[in-house]
Amino acid sequence: MERIYIFTRFERFWHWTQALLVIGMMITGFEIHGTYNLLGFAKAHQIHTVAAWALIILWVFAIFWHFITGEWRQYIPTMKGVDKIIRHYAWEYFGAKSILSSSPVPASTTRCRLQAYLAVKLLINPILWISGLLYLYYNELAALGQSLDLATIALIHTIGAFMMLAFFIAHVYLITTGHTVGAHLKAMLTGWEDGEGEHAK
Ligand code: HEM
């Protein structure tokens, strides 16, 4: 069986580090919010702050890497086969037929998903980061005469957190829709995808 290398070492590092940090931020964030009591407020708050900085550093590093290597090009949208993709996702996708079958425009499916993910993350991340930084430096900003309302900042940050949670649930579901339930997960762990799936054609 033919095997195709689709995720480089850096992409896997970047994906899993980000996944770990975002999951950690959701767990600690909703504890800060008061949804449950797991680590205790002080610990949750400490971890949330450290992970926030780690995430920001990781993103700066990844943006730098994308430009150095030219990898940013795979995010440029293409209209090739877009009609088939829309038809597939609009009404064939949730039918039993298509769940385990290949996708409409084989070679560009991963690329198409990357673009969809990027679009979502380019909306959600700035909401979380900007409101998060305003939250973090609220006292300093207040001392400088900035009169932003803390309740509004907290509300925007919480809305961003729920958007991230929705993204996470949809993402985990999409992971299971490769040519086998575990195919995409395996590819992101090892870098290799079996040639039976959509990439083989
Ligand atoms: C995946 C990303 C993130 C998620 C899911 C998340 C989630 C949350 C949630 C649910 C809260 C509680 C909000 C409330 O009830 O008032 C919170 C608080 C907070 N978050 Fe985030 N957050 C994320 C990223 C960030 C980032 C990037 C920063 C900073 C740059 C940040 C800084 C803060 C701060 C300072 C608080 C308030 C802590 C306190 O009350 O002392 N968060 N976060």
Side-chain angles (χ1 to χ4, degrees), residues 22 25-26 29-30 32-33 41 45 48 52 56 128-129 132-133 135-136 154 157-158 161 164:
V22 169
M25 304 219 65
M26 288 195 293
F30 285 109
I32 294 168
H33 188 64
F41 181 88
H45 181 248
H48 199 78
I56 290 173
L128 281 166
W129 293 9
L133 287 169
Y135 217 150
L136 207 55
H157 198 71
T158 308
M164 183 61 92

Side-chain angles (χ1 to χ4, degrees), residues 103-157:
S103 293
V105 183
S108 61
T109 306
T110 301
R111 182 175 145 137
C112 174
R113 281 191 186 183
L114 282 177
Q115 287 163 6
Y117 289 153
L118 183 73
V120 172
K121 299 301 280 297
L122 282 181
L123 173 74
I124 302 174
N125 283 347
I127 294 177
L128 281 166
W129 293 9
I130 294 167
S131 59
L133 287 169
L134 290 173
Y135 217 150
L136 207 55
Y137 291 105
Y138 183 76
N139 289 337
E140 287 78 356
L141 286 169
L144 288 173
Q146 204 37 265
S147 58
L148 281 165
D149 178 20
L150 187 62
T152 311
I153 295 172
L155 179 67
I156 294 170
H157 198 71

